[in-house]
């Protein structure tokens, strides 16, 4: 009997197959979420395709009702419970040609870049459309009818103010959203500036997605933890010595240079670089006005990043904490090898859990631990070998 190809299996069947093979532990909470994802797979398969265009189709294009979006899913829960694995399985099997999966920060960086480009075209007289959101949404929908976001979170006011309008357009055009997050929808942009203006987006989101919790009792990331000497604490002369030794080993003693990354008319300084390795202080990365797009570009340019002198974080360093969370996300998602010296171990680095940063920092802690593990480092080396 021929094995069933992956694309012919449901998410639940995939989980059962992996459990039977011994590569995964049976987990009722994960199986429950798989059921929700399988409902979306079936709805996508059964959705009727758009009517075939006739020679006179353009005459009726404006009157044609757009496809209704398949209701999506928003999965929230603690870090390390298997949300990313389930998204992997679902996205692989989703029966649509036009689909996109991205970290939410990466997606929003793309949106802002498109809006900026549209405004340049407007300024140059290349378009008469003053509002950039509808054409940006139309282009995004043309590229993908299914949007899958890892780590859906909103901490930036620029993102918060545009989301309702953007997704009103996307949902109206038949776009389906599937997202994972560490926070439930009602806690998105919690304590954010002008949050009242953001609340309509939350209500709209809940109308277009099912909301479910993945509350598995096991943190599978920490279960795999195998610490390696790439995170040094506390901050003292010994920490500096160990970081310098690691830098010498990684760079093989080659001379370092100062370089810059150009970003839309400005530059991001890289004080110390050797090939595809870079070294920064926490202050250089998180006390300057950098954002997700800057960190993603750093992660794209460099395979190894050193971060010296991370202090205790908390309410007194709220902006720096936000940037650090986004920085770790960018480096983790790009499988960058990270060497760190910090005031304390990850679980005690945040002095007070308060507001959005308190929720988000749980993910940062888990990722900092995993980035020290043998599995993560093996993935890093595998990715470097492909370059």
């Amino acid at each position: 009997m021929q094995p069933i190809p992956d694309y012919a299996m449901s998410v639940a069947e995939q989980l059962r197959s992996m459990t039977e093979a011994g590569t995964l532990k049976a987990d009722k909470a994960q199986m429950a979420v798989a059921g929700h994802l399988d409902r979306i797979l079936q709805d996508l398969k059964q959705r009727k395709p758009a009517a075939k265009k006739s020679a006179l189709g353009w005459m009726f294009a404006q009157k044609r009702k757009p496809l209704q979006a398949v209701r999506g899913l928003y999965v929230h829960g603690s870090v390390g419970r298997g949300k990313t694995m389930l998204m992997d399985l679902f996205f692989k099997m989703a029966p649509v040609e036009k689909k996109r999966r991205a970290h939410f920060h990466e997606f929003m960086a793309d949106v802002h870049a498109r809006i900026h480009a549209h405004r340049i075209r407007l300024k140059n007289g290349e378009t008469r459309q003053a509002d950039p959101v509808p054409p940006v949404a139309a282009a995004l929908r043309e590229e993908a009818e299914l949007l899958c976001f890892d780590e859906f979170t909103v901490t930036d006011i620029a993102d918060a103010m545009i989301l309702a309008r953007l997704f009103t357009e996307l949902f109206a055009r038949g776009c389906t959203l599937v997202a994972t997050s560490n926070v439930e929808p009602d806690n998105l942009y919690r304590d954010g500036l002008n949050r009242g203006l953001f609340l309509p987006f939350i209500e709209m989101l809940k109308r277009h997605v099912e909301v479910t919790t993945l509350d598995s009792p096991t943190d599978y990331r920490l279960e795999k933890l195998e610490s390696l000497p790439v995170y040094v604490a506390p901050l003292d002369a010994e920490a500096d010595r160990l970081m310098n030794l690691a830098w010498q080993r990684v760079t093989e003693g080659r001379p370092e240079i100062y370089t810059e990354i150009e970003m839309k008319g400005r530059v991001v300084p890289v004080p110390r670089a050797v090939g595809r390795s870079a070294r920064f202080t926490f202050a250089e990365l998180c006390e300057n006005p950098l954002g997700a797009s800057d960190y993603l570009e750093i992660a794209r340019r460099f395979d190894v990043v050193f971060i010296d002198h991370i202090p205790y974080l908390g309410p007194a360093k709220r902006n720096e904490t936000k940037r650090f969370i986004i920085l770790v996300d960018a480096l983790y998602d790009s499988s960058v090898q990270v060497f760190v010296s910090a005031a304390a171990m990850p679980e005690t680095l945040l002095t007070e859990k308060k507001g959005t940063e308190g929720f988000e920092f749980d993910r940062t802690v888990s990722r900092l631990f995993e980035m020290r593990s043998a599995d993560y480092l093996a993935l890093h080396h595998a990715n470097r070998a492909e370059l």
Side-chain angles (χ1 to χ4, degrees), residues 22 30 34 49 54 70 85 108 113 127 133 145 162 172 178 201 208 214 229 239 271 275 287 349 353 364 377 382:
Q30 291 180 358
S54 67
V70 167
M85 175 196 68
M108 290 309 300
T127 178
V133 174
E145 65 180 272
I162 199 174
V178 177
F201 169 74
H208 287 85
L214 181 54
E287 293 180 7
L349 202 54
K353 284 194 173 184
T364 301
L377 294 175

Side-chain angles (χ1 to χ4, degrees), residues 309-356:
H309 303 156
I310 301 172
Y312 281 107
L313 302 171
K317 293 182 177 293
R318 189 179 183 195
N319 289 334
E320 293 90 336
T321 302
K322 283 184 179 181
R323 294 190 189 108
F324 183 62
I325 290 169
I326 297 170
L327 169 64
V328 171
D329 283 344
L331 298 176
Y332 175 89
D333 289 336
S334 299
S335 302
V336 174
Q337 183 171 354
V338 179
F339 290 80
V340 165
S341 68
M345 297 303 289
E347 66 272 25
T348 57
L349 202 54
L350 188 66
T351 58
E352 181 181 346
K353 284 194 173 184
K354 184 178 180 181
T356 301

Side-chain angles (χ1 to χ4, degrees), residues 78-79 182 219 221 325 350 353 357-367:
S78 301
V79 296
N182 290 351
D219 185 335
R221 286 182 185 167
I325 290 169
L350 188 66
K353 284 194 173 184
E357 291 76 38
F359 283 105
E360 298 300 321
F361 208 78
D362 283 341
R363 180 179 73 250
T364 301
V365 169
S366 182
R367 290 190 161 183

Side-chain angles (χ1 to χ4, degrees), residues 239-250:
D240 290 339
R241 186 184 72 83
L242 292 173
M243 288 288 281
N244 289 334
L245 283 174
W247 178 249
Q248 286 293 316
R249 185 178 72 243
V250 167

